Amino acid sequence: MKKRLLSFLTLTTSVILLAACNVQTEEQANNDNSDVSTGETTEKTTIELLGSSSNETDMNIVRDQLIKNGFDVTLNTQPDYASFQTQKEAGNYDLAISSWTTVTGNPDYAVRSLFTTDGDNSDLSNSEVDALINEAALQTSDEYTETYKELEDVLVTENAYIVPLYTSLKAQAFNQDLLNPDSIRLAKSRAFPWETVQFNETASNDTEPLILTQQIGDLTSLDPIKGNDGSINQLNTNMYVRLVNLTDDDQVVSDGSLSYNHAIAEGNSDYYFILRDDINFAAVEDDQAVDTGKMVSGQDAVFSLNRAKDPNSVPDHRTYSLHEHIDSVSLVTDLAELENASLSDGNGTVKEALEANLESPIASVVEDAAQVDNASGQYQVVKVTTTEPFPQVLNYLAHQSAGIVSQEQVESINTYDVENFDISTDIPYGDQRAVTEGETYDNHLYASGPYIMTQKNDYEATFQKNPAYMAGTEHAAQIANVTVRFIGDADSALSALRSGEIHLLAGLDETKYDVVEGEDSLSLQSMPSNGVTYMLFNANGREVSVSADLRKSILYSINQDELSAAYDGLKLKAYSTVSPLVDTGNELVADPAKVEEFYQNYLDSIK
């Protein structure tokens, strides 16, 4: 099969910058400090730039641009993500190169965790930022563009809390000699789904493992609410079913989820989900995935979402802010409620929407999971009520942190007292120690999704398909075994793909597209992503922490065109983390005159 990029790439390459960006050495950059607008450059303060070795290209370009504008720059380059985080938490930086991918497909996720006061990934505290984020969250897509523009103005234009660098393409490459290209999905936001993948030789689906890769092998947690990072997003997305899913182009659907259908009631505060009864939890016994015989029930869904929204349900809860707009979660016990509730668009009742295309219409709604029998019309219906009208709640319910866990199993493992939790002695549900081979191995996972992890080590993690996950339907897992190799270096991962050691590589750098295109056995998929790379200022203890003028002087030193040129012109402009989702019209343009103006303002303020 002929390898191809999506048509987007053809369009993009037609507008590649005329001049490529030649990354200078620090000595060369220091010899070219003239201000292009004045012929002069003010010698400025030293900026410590923190990043990891995977960001080396960006660090070098940013260093050169800052030096050209008169700044002295110290690079703090860490070998891996863990050491980068250690340096960041220690505050050893003025600017840190960061990235964020909006895996839920909605703009609220692109900003809430990162920039709200007390957000789980935020060091900022600005009441105006908080107010604008909360205002936009309650608006529809037709209404929130102007609000997000105002947010960007406060966040970037007025305060320069971040320095946007670019939006990336999302790309993956796979071995088309082994894998069926028609079974390989590329989703804009959600993690790569495994259950659809098939080998070209279908007999291999049961005998050969699908071999994938990810950079991080130190797993935050296999409890969906305790992690939201690159170590577990792919894994938890494939181990836990949710009430809804995202399509590859970010539409919220029930397809392949725990619900047959979902409906929004009039007022946009009540959301209903009619549950399927053909998913059981899987467990691991003697290194094999087994059917526990325990249906993934409405009670499990209610339990999972209640703990997801409660910041005190587990120690080190990292995703509660994604679900703070959930007021209550319950099971519907009166069919009349569904019959009497009108849809938000006015086109019928909730009951009519929920039973659309069901093989058996709704005869009754039941609370007791033992009474569920979809074939005879006995269903469970979960109702989620939000604190206020909040259409974006559905996107959050498609996020891996809303994965459905077993109430019985989690409560049997999490017997510790949350306030007195001791990581040295307590092993909570989802702790990687429970699945790591060796003395600590005691696999306690219950998976509601298409796969379950059997074990891991420093090199890889192995998974088997859930034998009781939508068996006999199009959503059942096709390949019996999956192995995820932990390869921290991107070039090494690409070499592993080319040599056949792995079958699919996600997150391919734009500068490597031509390598993949040069291999007859490989196929490349690419599309614009929701991933934005930016620089975050240290919010505490540095000059940049207190001076907006100093931050803006740095902001206007950055030339995004030069950054894109270093990636063959395939990086897209960004102004904030919402740029891929909302066109606000804002654009960062490098301006040496503004660099000098704001730096002079900074000097005047400290005299």
Side-chain angles (χ1 to χ4, degrees):
M1 187 182 103
K2 184 178 180 181
K3 300 181 295 300
R4 63 190 186 280
L5 294 178
L6 297 188
S7 59
F8 172 82
L9 295 183
T10 303
L11 295 173
T12 304
T13 52
S14 67
V15 293
I16 287 178
L17 303 171
L18 296 177
C21 175
N22 295 316
V23 178
Q24 298 175 307
T25 66
E26 188 163 358
E27 180 180 358
Q28 290 172 325
N30 275 313
N31 290 332
D32 186 16
N33 284 350
S34 61
D35 185 309
V36 296
S37 64
T38 65
E40 299 176 358
T41 298
T42 303
E43 187 173 333
K44 301 179 179 66
T45 189
T46 298
I47 301 299
E48 183 177 8
L49 176 60
L50 171 64
S52 63
S53 56
S54 61
N55 299 123
E56 186 174 6
T57 296
D58 296 337
M59 294 180 73
N60 286 337
I61 295 172
V62 167
R63 177 205 62 204
D64 293 352
Q65 293 178 351
L66 290 175
I67 289 174
K68 284 181 181 179
N69 283 279
F71 291 96
D72 190 13
V73 180
T74 299
L75 297 185
N76 183 351
T77 307
Q78 296 300 309
D80 51 41
Y81 179 77
S83 56
F84 167 83
Q85 280 296 103
T86 298
Q87 289 290 303
K88 187 171 181 289
E89 290 168 5
N92 296 330
Y93 68 101
D94 292 300
L95 275 170
I97 292 192
S98 303
S99 61
W100 183 260
T101 299
T102 302
V103 295
T104 59
N106 65 310
D108 185 70
Y109 179 84
V111 292
R112 180 169 299 277
S113 174
L114 296 175
F115 306 126
T116 57
T117 302
D118 298 326
D120 46 293
N121 286 292
S122 174
D123 292 326
L124 299 184
S125 181
N126 182 301
S127 60
E128 192 173 2
V129 168
D130 293 347
L132 288 167
I133 288 174
N134 289 326
E135 179 183 349
L138 306 182
Q139 297 173 328
T140 65
S141 58
D142 295 331
E143 301 168 326
Y144 59 44
T145 298
E146 183 59 33
T147 308
Y148 281 117
K149 182 183 187 307
E150 291 180 38
L151 172 63
E152 287 188 335
D153 288 341
V154 176
L155 185 71
V156 183
T157 312
E158 298 174 14
N159 291 288
Y161 289 133
I162 65 170
V163 179
L165 297 181
Y166 53 75
T167 298
S168 295
L169 303 181
K170 184 174 183 179
Q172 61 191 23
F174 63 91
N175 189 322
Q176 63 182 359
D177 288 348
L178 296 176
L179 300 182
N180 180 351
D182 293 333
S183 72
I184 308 298
R185 294 171 54 186
L186 178 62
K188 184 174 184 180
S189 295
R190 64 169 289 179
F192 179 69
W194 303 344
E195 68 267 25
T196 63
V197 182
Q198 298 186 56
F199 287 105
N200 287 322
E201 297 292 335
T202 55
S204 298
N205 290 342
D206 291 327
T207 60
E208 298 297 324
L210 170 66
I211 306 177
L212 309 172
T213 184
Q214 69 177 40
Q215 287 191 330
I216 306 172
D218 185 16
L219 310 181
T220 303
S221 179
L222 299 170
D223 181 342
I225 66 173
K226 293 191 66 175
N228 187 21
D229 56 66
S231 76
I232 50 80
N233 280 337
Q234 175 184 198
L235 312 185
N236 284 348
T237 296
N238 286 285
M239 282 208 297
Y240 299 99
V241 72
R242 296 158 299 283
L243 287 178
V244 287
N245 275 326
L246 286 181
T247 63
D248 293 346
D249 60 353
D250 289 348
Q251 301 303 305
V252 178
V253 296
S254 285
D255 298 344
S257 75
L258 184 59
S259 69
Y260 287 114
N261 293 306
H262 66 276
I264 307 173
E266 185 178 14
N268 292 323
S269 288
D270 292 328
Y271 301 79
Y272 294 88
F273 308 84
I274 186 165
L275 306 190
R276 56 194 308 147
D277 64 355
D278 59 351
I279 305 175
N280 289 354
F281 287 103
V284 175
E285 296 178 2
D286 299 324
D287 296 327
Q288 297 297 312
V290 297
D291 177 3
T292 64
K294 299 175 180 179
M295 185 184 75
V296 181
S297 69
Q299 283 81 3
D300 295 308
V302 171
F303 170 77
S304 299
L305 296 182
N306 275 328
R307 70 194 294 266
K309 74 184 183 72
D310 178 5
N312 301 312
S313 61
V314 291
D316 197 24
H317 193 329
R318 300 193 181 188
T319 61
Y320 65 87
S321 66
L322 305 185
H323 306 290
E324 63 186 3
H325 282 91
I326 295 177
D327 181 45
S328 63
V329 190
S330 61
L331 284 168
V332 176
T333 57
D334 186 356
L335 185 59
E337 178 178 345
L338 306 182
E339 295 171 332
N340 295 329
S342 298
L343 294 173
S344 61
D345 61 7
N347 294 324
T349 68
V350 167
K351 179 177 182 290
E352 291 169 341
L354 291 182
E355 65 183 1
N357 301 316
L358 293 181
E359 292 187 6
S360 301
I362 305 172
S364 65
V365 290
V366 299
E367 186 172 14
D368 187 349
Q371 297 177 359
V372 173
D373 183 3
N374 292 175
S376 62
Q378 314 302 311
Y379 295 92
Q380 284 189 314
V381 174
V382 169
K383 176 184 178 181
V384 174
T385 300
T386 55
T387 55
E388 49 198 329
F390 186 53
Q392 296 191 52
V393 70
L394 290 172
N395 295 80
Y396 287 125
L397 293 177
H399 186 251
Q400 66 87 22
S401 62
I404 308 304
V405 297
S406 164
Q407 178 175 1
E408 177 184 0
Q409 184 67 359
V410 170
E411 290 182 337
S412 72
I413 299 300
N414 289 355
T415 58
Y416 54 81
D417 178 67
V418 173
E419 291 185 1
N420 297 311
F421 177 78
D422 185 348
I423 191 63
S424 64
T425 57
D426 296 321
I427 297 183
Y429 179 82
D431 192 307
Q432 68 172 341
R433 290 173 292 180
V435 293
T436 301
E437 62 183 29
E439 294 180 358
T440 63
Y441 182 85
D442 184 19
N443 195 323
H444 60 226
L445 298 177
Y446 265 41
S448 60
Y451 287 90
I452 186 169
M453 183 185 291
T454 54
Q455 67 175 15
K456 75 171 287 285
N457 53 34
D458 291 339
Y459 177 60
E460 65 184 18
T462 56
F463 299 79
Q464 292 181 15
K465 73 176 181 180
N466 179 350
Y469 183 83
M470 304 192 200
T473 75
E474 62 179 317
H475 303 296
Q478 299 299 307
I479 290 179
N481 297 283
V482 175
T483 297
V484 177
R485 297 265 171 85
F486 305 132
I487 306 177
D489 179 71
D491 288 337
S492 298
L494 179 56
S495 295
L497 177 69
R498 298 176 69 190
S499 66
E501 296 175 47
I502 62 174
H503 300 148
L504 183 145
L505 173 61
L508 188 69
D509 186 276
E510 289 91 340
T511 61
K512 304 299 182 183
Y513 288 3
D514 59 339
V515 176
V516 171
E517 291 181 299
E519 297 279 351
D520 291 338
S521 63
L522 302 183
S523 184
L524 176 67
Q525 297 173 320
S526 182
M527 67 189 301
S529 80
N530 289 339
V532 175
T533 297
Y534 62 99
M535 296 189 295
L536 180 69
F537 283 102
N538 192 334
N540 300 288
R542 298 286 181 115
E543 284 296 302
V544 295
S545 308
V546 295
S547 175
D549 285 315
L550 177 56
R551 295 195 298 268
K552 285 189 278 189
S553 182
I554 294 169
L555 172 71
Y556 287 106
S557 299
I558 301 305
N559 186 318
Q560 293 185 348
D561 290 337
E562 291 181 356
L563 283 156
S564 181
Y567 295 92
D568 296 333
L570 296 177
K571 294 295 187 185
L572 311 179
K573 288 183 178 294
Y575 202 74
S576 78
T577 46
V578 301
S579 293
L581 300 133
V582 182
D583 183 6
T584 65
N586 283 330
E587 181 179 349
L588 176 61
V589 178
D591 190 334
K594 288 184 178 180
V595 173
E596 297 304 320
E597 174 190 350
F598 287 118
Y599 195 79
Q600 187 60 52
N601 291 344
Y602 160 66
L603 292 179
D604 291 343
S605 70
I606 61 175
K607 287 181 180 178

